[in-house]
């Protein structure tokens, strides 16, 4: 029982050290930034004094999940990409950007611009054989992940979608990028990775 | 690719990913105390572990329980360390019996399940049914665990049967190594 007691003490010590989870600073960001805008943003971030360092552990799960849903009424593809917030921030830092500290009190003022630029550099869509531009539509806090929202407008029908997804593959060799498509009730999945960055899905056939 | 295949693969890849070695080390620690002729006990232990992590994976993904990721990631190496200490502490089974081992494996499974679910929940969102993702992810985890057990058993066969090492020595070696890894995880050295 002594052993168990020591273990329990260790647990509480470690738990106390990690402190409370970060509280989301704001809801979905309303800013709409065209992704195509040149993404040269040299940002001297206002460095806050005390910054909680995200806990790192050997326990890692390198996955993003994107949902692509056709909104027939607005002739639009709504795309939500859920990426682990710490990985997303790390990737932006690795590209020379600032640390965004998303969903904290010290979130970077220009966070939407950096996130949209990152998505633009990692995601590409061809709808019915035509390259389409992504429009950034904000982001939402999803606990450990961030749901990044992008749209493709003027999509009146969907026969094929060719997609290229390079999210985080520059960071992690085992990154998996799952994409779920839902077009007029028809659901399809592709699972992309460093080995296979592109996928094609067909609908209404 | 179907939804089932996608999440099955995610589960399998996650448990067998060498970057996520904490689960692998835990499975190895579970197996270490058992000589080859007690493989039935190992199967029961791993099954108890699976039942445990299936329960919390479901509860947490359905948002019925919420445990902070940091706490879970601290508790996981604790489960490894505890398993190793019990492996090498001879009187454990004599005093508490095998049922205690299965109960503990189930309890430790509950903790590991929280680890899986925090990640899955963050990515899945609430807008669609999560029954298929949850089930197939779990089956993928289970298949991955069985693969780890099989590889470990093959190595153990060579060490114990072919090289003739006494099981107690093998257990001490493996449990000691696993305890070292868990201690490193616990103090945050990666």
């Amino acid at each position: 029982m002594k052993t168990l007691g020591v273990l329990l003490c260790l647990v509480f010590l470690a738990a106390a050290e990690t402190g409370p989870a970060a509280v989301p600073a704001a809801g979905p960001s309303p800013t709409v930034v065209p992704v195509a805008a040149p993404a040269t943003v040299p940002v001297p971030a206002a460095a806050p004094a005390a910054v909680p360092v995200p806990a790192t552990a050997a326990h890692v799960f390198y996955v993003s999940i994107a949902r692509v849903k056709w909104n027939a009424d607005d002739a639009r593809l709504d795309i939500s990409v859920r990426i682990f917030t710490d990985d997303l921030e790390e990737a932006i830092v690795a590209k020379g950007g600032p640390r965004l500290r998303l969903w904290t009190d010290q979130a970077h003022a220009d966070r939407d611009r950096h996130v949209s630029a990152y998505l633009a550099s990692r995601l590409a869509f061809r709808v019915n054989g035509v390259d389409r531009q992504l429009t950034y539509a904000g982001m939402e806090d999803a606990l450990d992940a961030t749901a990044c929202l992008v749209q493709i407008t003027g999509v009146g029908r969907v026969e094929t979608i060719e997609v290229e997804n390079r999210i985080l593959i520059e960071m992690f060799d085992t990154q998996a990028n799952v994409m779920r498509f839902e077009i007029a009730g028809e659901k399809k999945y592709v699972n992309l990775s460093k080995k296979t960055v592109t996928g094609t899905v067909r609908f209404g056939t | 690719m179907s939804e089932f295949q996608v999440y099955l693969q995610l589960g399998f890849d996650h448990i067998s990913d060498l970057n996520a070695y904490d689960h692998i080390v835990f499975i190895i620690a579970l197996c270490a105390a058992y000589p080859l002729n007690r493989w039935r006990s190992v199967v029961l232990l791993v099954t108890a572990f699976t039942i445990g992590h299936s329960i919390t994976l479901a509860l947490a993904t359905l948002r019925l329980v919420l445990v902070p990721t940091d706490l879970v990631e601290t508790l996981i190496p604790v489960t490894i360390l505890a398993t190793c200490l019990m492996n090498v502490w001879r009187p454990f089974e004599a005093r508490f019996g095998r049922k205690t081992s299965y109960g503990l494996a189930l309890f430790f499974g509950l903790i590991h399940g929280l680890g899986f679910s925090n990640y899955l929940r963050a990515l899945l969102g609430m807008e669609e049914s999560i029954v298929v993702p949850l089930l197939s992810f779990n089956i993928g985890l289970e298949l991955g665990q069985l693969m780890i057990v099989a590889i470990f058993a093959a190595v153990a066969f060579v060490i114990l049967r072919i090289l003739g090492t006494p099981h107690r020595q093998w257990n001490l070696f493996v449990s000691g190594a696993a305890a070292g890894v868990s201690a490193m995880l616990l103090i945050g050295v990666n």
Side-chain angles (χ1 to χ4, degrees), chain B residues 21-45:
Chain B
Y21 56 83
D22 48 354
H23 303 300
I24 300 176
V25 173
F26 180 75
I27 303 275
I28 288 172
L30 267 190
C31 299
Y34 294 86
L36 290 171
N37 60 13
R38 283 184 59 195
W39 61 270
R40 285 181 196 83
S41 300
V42 173
V43 171
L44 278 173
L45 272 180

Side-chain angles (χ1 to χ4, degrees), chain B residues 12-87:
Chain B
F12 185 85
D13 289 349
H14 180 50
I15 197 101
S16 54
D17 183 353
L18 289 177
N19 292 312
Y21 56 83
D22 48 354
H23 303 300
I24 300 176
V25 173
F26 180 75
I27 303 275
I28 288 172
L30 267 190
C31 299
Y34 294 86
L36 290 171
N37 60 13
R38 283 184 59 195
W39 61 270
R40 285 181 196 83
S41 300
V42 173
V43 171
L44 278 173
L45 272 180
V46 173
T47 308
F49 176 65
T50 300
I51 292 170
H53 73 63
S54 303
I55 291 171
T56 38
L57 182 56
L59 288 178
T61 315
L62 295 167
R63 290 159 169 76
L64 295 174
V65 294
L66 175 62
V67 181
T69 309
D70 293 343
L71 176 60
V72 175
E73 293 196 347
T74 307
L75 284 173
I76 286 176
V78 171
T79 66
I80 304 173
L81 191 56
T83 305
C84 295
L85 292 176
M86 288 183 297
N87 283 351

Side-chain angles (χ1 to χ4, degrees), chain A residues 3 7 11 14-15 18 55-61 63 65 67 82 84 142-145 174 176 178 180 189 191, chain B residues 1 3 6-7 9 14 17 19-23 69-71 73-75 85 119 122-125 127-128 185 190:
Chain A
T3 323
L7 284 175
V11 172
T18 52
T56 52
H59 184 98
V60 284
F61 189 53
V63 179
I65 298 185
R67 281 174 198 71
R82 285 185 182 234
F84 285 115
L143 227 62
D144 293 331
T174 55
V178 173
R180 174 192 195 268
Y189 279 81
N191 191 359
Chain B
M1 211 177 214
E3 186 178 21
V6 166
Y7 288 100
Q9 191 174 357
H14 180 50
D17 183 353
N19 292 312
Y21 56 83
D22 48 354
H23 303 300
T69 309
D70 293 343
L71 176 60
E73 293 196 347
T74 307
L75 284 173
L85 292 176
Y119 294 117
L123 292 178
L124 279 176
E127 59 263 46
E128 74 233 29
L185 285 171
N190 287 304

